[in-house]
Amino acid sequence: MFTSRAIGFVGSPYKSTGEIPKGLGAKHAAEGVLKILPEFEVGLTDIEGFSHLFVIWEFDRSDRVELMGKPPSDNRAHGVFATRSPRRPNPIGLTVVELLRRDGGELHVRGVDMLDGTPILDIKPYLSGVAMEKLRRGWLAEAEARG
Ligand SMILES: C[S@@+](CC[C@H](N)C(=O)[O-])C[C@H]1O[C@@H](n2cnc3c(N)ncnc32)[C@H](O)[C@@H]1O
């Protein structure tokens, strides 16, 4: 077994899942704050130089696991590991956010899709390395083409 602990919590405008944009073409432009606990703040040193960050977090309000499920962006079922569903065996979320500014232990970001109070497990700089022409988008591209 592994154990993780929160390094901080998300301050998000979203208080319930119904408020978060979902489905094909959903845009995540909401601003939020990654509030890092004082004991970890020194770990943010030099983060200001990065425009975007990976945020790794816990789906702390996910109530079950579903190995197959229909995502909001399709009417067909897919395996959980081919989706971004919250109902995962290990309920870990991954979101890319834009870093707007740092204020001590608070990172002001754009692009949150987490509920308010969501525990943050880790933050890493986002360094995109996959050329667009190499990227395949699987069932999502088919769902987008179907409209
Ligand atoms: C489709 S998931 C994608 C999350 C992340 N971008 C990822 O790919 O892992 C986003 C949804 O997770 C749900 N969600 C957000 N915060 C949550 C939390 N703390 N616990 C459980 N579900 C959450 C909301 O329904 C939200 O629309």
Side-chain angles (χ1 to χ4, degrees):
M1 293 298 287
F2 307 97
T3 51
S4 299
R5 58 181 173 150
I7 60 158
F9 295 88
V10 179
S12 163
Y14 302 126
K15 311 291 181 220
S16 69
T17 55
E19 298 168 37
I20 303 178
K22 288 186 178 56
L24 287 178
K27 297 267 182 288
H28 294 291
E31 292 186 18
V33 185
L34 309 180
K35 299 174 187 169
I36 305 307
L37 296 172
E39 66 198 282
F40 300 113
E41 190 179 322
V42 72
L44 297 176
T45 305
D46 298 331
I47 204 164
E48 297 88 340
F50 293 92
S51 63
H52 292 77
L53 304 172
F54 283 122
V55 185
I56 299 162
W57 50 277
E58 183 82 8
F59 287 106
D60 63 330
R61 277 152 273 183
S62 178
D63 55 356
R64 61 187 185 277
V65 175
E66 275 181 5
L67 294 183
M68 291 291 297
K70 281 186 199 167
S73 43
D74 203 358
N75 52 13
R76 300 176 187 191
H78 304 282
V80 67
F81 304 122
T83 76
R84 310 198 70 129
S85 164
R87 300 182 181 132
R88 327 181 69 78
N90 292 309
I92 292 172
L94 175 69
T95 299
V96 175
V97 296
E98 181 182 358
L99 178 58
L100 302 175
R101 68 188 160 87
R102 175 182 170 193
D103 185 8
E106 296 196 340
L107 301 177
H108 294 258
V109 299
R110 180 181 293 126
V112 294
D113 62 354
M114 316 81 153
L115 292 169
D116 191 45
T118 293
I120 301 167
L121 301 176
D122 204 357
I123 296 175
K124 303 186 189 204
Y126 174 81
L127 301 170
S128 171
V130 184
M132 279 306 285
E133 64 272 16
K134 292 255 184 195
L135 203 60
R136 290 190 295 123
R137 291 163 50 79
W139 62 262
L140 190 55
E142 293 165 24
E144 284 167 350
R146 282 199 304 273

